[in-house]
Amino acid sequence: MSEFFAQNIIAIYFIYGLSFFSMGLAVLLEAGHNSESEFAQALKPLIWFGLVHGSHEWVEMFLLIQAQLTGGAPHALGVDYFRLFMLAASFFFLVAFGARLIAVKISVKSAIIAGLAVFAIWATGLVWILNSQPAGRMQIVSADVYTRYALAIPGAALTMWGLLLQRQRFYVKGMHSFGNDVALAALAFGLYGGIGQLFTSASTIFPSQYLNASAFMGVFGFPIQVFRAAMACMASIFIIRSLRTFEVEDARRIANLRVAQQVERRRLEALRNELLHRTVKAQENERQRIARELHDETGQALTALGLGLRGLSEIVETKPRKASQQAKQLQELATQSLVELQRLVSGLHPPQLDDLGLLAALRWYAGETQARFGLPVEVFCDGNCKEIPLDTRVALFRIAQEAITNIVRHADASKAILRLAIYPEKYTLEVEDDGKGFDVEACMKKGPEDPCLGLMGMIERAAILGGVCQIHSHPGRGTQVQVEVPAAKKNDGTDTHPAG
């Protein structure tokens, strides 16, 4: 059997290197698409371990091929130093992989300290070997053996520990098959480090004088490279199998997002239904208010005018002076009724919005607010006046109207500032007050039974225009409403007027 392995040792090195290289390549291709996963983050050092260590074994393979072709002629010493560097780098990445897995469970600082301690011990011993032994093949062999003892065995132990911790995390998530995969990968790495790297080439480093490749061959009848290759294949297979967890996690994440979208869609639908219900109710209340005002003010004034005109017709010939006074009183009553009627009509739809533009309508409403409620509202306009479509003017005016109404009702503010900015690509509107503020997030989280319909209405109006309405407020810090809508392209001009 020993002859069989001796004849096929090159194939063994090839399979050994291919196993780890394929593992590194598979992890590179899969984990790169799942950078948010803790397991994917921990796998990144394993990518470099697989690629570098697989390449190292292929270098060993090519050196054997060269020796067969040249009849055993020695190769350059620099190749051995380069191979040693690759070996140390690969095992350092293995240490880093184990530390990253463990860092998910324990503190990152502790994992970093453990990794640095292992590296410091290896570096100290390597310096001693390089200084105590003359340069040559024996120095290379001793450094190789020490690297396997100081880096490979601790790295494999950390990796086994980390993978067992990862198994518990998979079990907690209900992913038992993936937990079993990483458990078998942990077993493979443990055997790879505990046995595969313990039996090395014979050197002056204890205990390689006794536990070495020749002793292993004598006991088991096959080279230690066969055992390493078998453990490499086992570890690679089960690590690659565990990568399927990313597909499962992605599927779960997508399913959770769909559920969240459905819940949010139902919530928004309930809010829209409630908003529609409240809107209809508000329209009915507004109709009742208008009817009441028409009845109480305009209707009574018209009744008084009718009675006054009837009385005037009876005394106009007999008492001309009294008739003249009564006519003046009726004229004043008619004028006052007309003013009240104009105020009522302006409240429904300001004529300035159609005739003079958005800025004029906002200034008119600011004056009305100060006159009726004592709240000063400063209006500013930035940018050149552009033509704004009618639907945009109405939406921005209603948003400003709602924001100022909220200030009057709830803010206890001493003043408000309204800023309108007109740009070629967008229109912005800001309404700011120095009132008591409120918790926006808590208000927006209220259910359909107690929604903030005013805020929702402003957001909906901006969204209809393809824009956004953001409300910033904190208790005791006032409130700021920021609206941004895209500037619509000019149409045939039938529904646009100057903005100010």
Side-chain angles (χ1 to χ4, degrees):
M1 183 176 290
S2 59
E3 275 186 32
F4 172 79
F5 288 117
Q7 293 174 357
N8 295 278
I9 190 67
I10 293 176
I12 293 171
Y13 273 104
F14 176 76
I15 295 173
Y16 182 10
L18 181 63
S19 298
F20 277 141
F21 194 90
S22 300
M23 179 187 69
L25 191 60
V27 175
L28 174 65
L29 296 175
E30 187 65 32
H33 301 294
N34 297 270
S35 57
E36 296 181 359
S37 169
E38 292 179 347
F39 188 42
Q41 292 290 335
L43 282 171
K44 290 182 178 179
L46 189 63
I47 297 172
W48 295 106
F49 166 74
L51 297 177
V52 175
H53 197 72
S55 301
H56 169 269
E57 299 307 318
W58 284 341
V59 169
E60 293 266 21
M61 178 187 70
F62 285 121
L63 291 177
L64 290 175
I65 295 173
Q66 180 188 12
Q68 290 182 359
L69 294 176
T70 59
H75 52 268
L77 195 62
V79 176
D80 285 326
Y81 282 109
F82 176 71
R83 182 187 58 79
L84 178 64
F85 171 77
M86 292 180 66
L87 182 70
S90 67
F91 287 139
F92 178 74
F93 286 122
L94 187 63
V95 172
F97 171 58
R100 287 290 295 272
L101 280 176
I102 296 170
V104 178
K105 188 69 176 178
I106 65 175
S107 67
V108 176
K109 183 178 179 181
S110 300
I112 293 175
I113 291 174
L116 291 177
V118 171
F119 179 77
I121 293 172
W122 168 77
T124 303
L126 184 66
V127 170
W128 177 80
I129 291 173
L130 295 178
N131 290 331
S132 62
Q133 297 186 12
R137 303 293 177 186
M138 184 55 63
Q139 184 189 65
I140 294 294
V141 171
S142 298
D144 181 287
V145 172
Y146 177 72
T147 297
R148 295 178 188 274
Y149 286 169
L151 284 182
I153 294 177
L158 289 174
T159 297
M160 181 176 66
W161 182 17
L163 288 173
L164 291 177
L165 292 176
Q166 183 62 42
R167 179 194 64 171
Q168 296 299 325
R169 288 190 284 271
F170 281 147
Y171 283 173
V172 170
K173 295 179 180 180
M175 306 166 71
H176 293 83
S177 62
F178 299 116
N180 295 334
D181 288 338
V182 295
L184 290 172
L187 176 63
F189 274 110
L191 294 174
Y192 174 77
I195 297 178
Q197 303 304 320
L198 183 62
F199 291 87
T200 62
S201 301
S203 71
T204 59
I205 306 298
F206 180 82
S208 65
Q209 301 96 329
Y210 312 102
L211 300 177
N212 50 50
S214 298
F216 186 91
M217 184 72 177
V219 173
F220 296 100
F222 58 88
I224 188 64
Q225 288 83 4
V226 174
F227 180 82
R228 292 174 185 169
M231 292 303 101
C233 290
M234 179 177 173
S236 300
I237 289 172
F238 288 109
I239 286 292
I240 293 174
R241 279 171 57 91
S242 70
L243 296 180
R244 292 182 296 114
T245 183
F246 299 138
E247 298 179 6
V248 175
E249 290 181 345
D250 286 343
R252 288 185 175 181
R253 191 178 300 114
I254 292 172
N256 292 335
L257 286 175
R258 287 176 178 171
V259 171
Q261 288 177 347
Q262 292 175 356
V263 171
E264 183 67 13
R265 190 179 298 113
R266 286 194 293 267
R267 188 184 72 86
L268 291 176
E269 187 65 26
L271 282 176
R272 287 193 180 97
N273 292 337
E274 183 64 20
L275 182 61
L276 179 60
H277 172 72
R278 295 294 183 92
T279 301
V280 173
K281 185 177 179 180
Q283 289 175 343
E284 291 300 322
N285 292 337
E286 187 68 9
R287 290 189 180 100
Q288 292 177 3
R289 184 187 67 83
I290 295 171
R292 187 167 53 251
E293 289 192 10
L294 288 174
H295 176 271
D296 294 343
E297 297 180 7
T298 307
Q300 291 180 6
L302 292 175
T303 301
L305 281 173
L307 295 174
L309 290 173
R310 183 183 302 174
L312 182 64
S313 64
E314 295 176 354
I315 65 172
V316 66
E317 295 181 356
T318 58
K319 298 178 181 180
R321 180 174 295 182
K322 185 177 180 180
S324 176
Q325 292 176 352
Q326 189 170 346
K328 290 180 180 180
Q329 292 176 355
L330 293 175
Q331 183 181 4
E332 291 175 0
L333 180 60
T335 301
Q336 186 178 3
S337 299
L338 181 60
V339 170
E340 289 296 326
L341 186 60
Q342 289 175 343
R343 182 187 64 80
L344 184 62
V345 173
S346 297
L348 295 176
H349 186 83
Q352 295 90 339
L353 197 59
D354 294 329
D355 300 333
L356 301 177
L358 177 60
L359 181 59
L362 292 174
R363 286 174 174 167
W364 166 82
Y365 190 73
E368 285 289 304
T369 302
Q370 183 168 4
R372 295 180 61 189
F373 305 106
L375 176 68
V377 181
E378 301 180 36
V379 180
F380 301 95
C381 181
D382 298 328
N384 298 325
C385 293
K386 301 290 183 180
E387 292 184 348
I388 303 178
L390 178 60
D391 55 349
T392 305
R393 293 201 305 272
V394 172
L396 292 177
F397 178 79
R398 293 305 181 193
I399 292 173
Q401 189 179 38
E402 179 64 32
I404 293 174
T405 299
N406 288 338
I407 295 171
V408 172
R409 291 178 178 175
H410 309 295
D412 293 335
S414 61
K415 68 175 181 178
I417 299 176
L418 192 153
R419 299 184 182 91
L420 175 65
I422 304 170
Y423 303 103
E425 72 282 358
K426 65 180 179 180
Y427 312 125
T428 63
L429 176 70
E430 293 184 7
V431 182
E432 184 178 357
D433 68 75
D434 59 354
K436 61 184 181 181
F438 66 101
D439 189 338
V440 179
E441 184 176 357
C443 182
M444 297 301 291
K445 284 184 178 179
K446 293 180 179 179
E449 67 279 357
D450 188 20
C452 295
L453 294 180
L455 304 183
M456 289 297 298
M458 291 190 291
I459 295 172
E460 288 285 343
R461 288 183 185 275
I464 290 174
L465 297 175
V468 293
C469 175
Q470 296 179 330
I471 302 163
H472 306 283
S473 183
H474 296 280
R477 299 184 184 178
T479 302
Q480 185 181 50
V481 177
Q482 295 180 328
V483 183
E484 180 178 310
V485 298
K489 295 182 180 180
K490 294 183 181 180
N491 53 19
D492 58 3
T494 58
D495 65 342
T496 57
H497 292 277

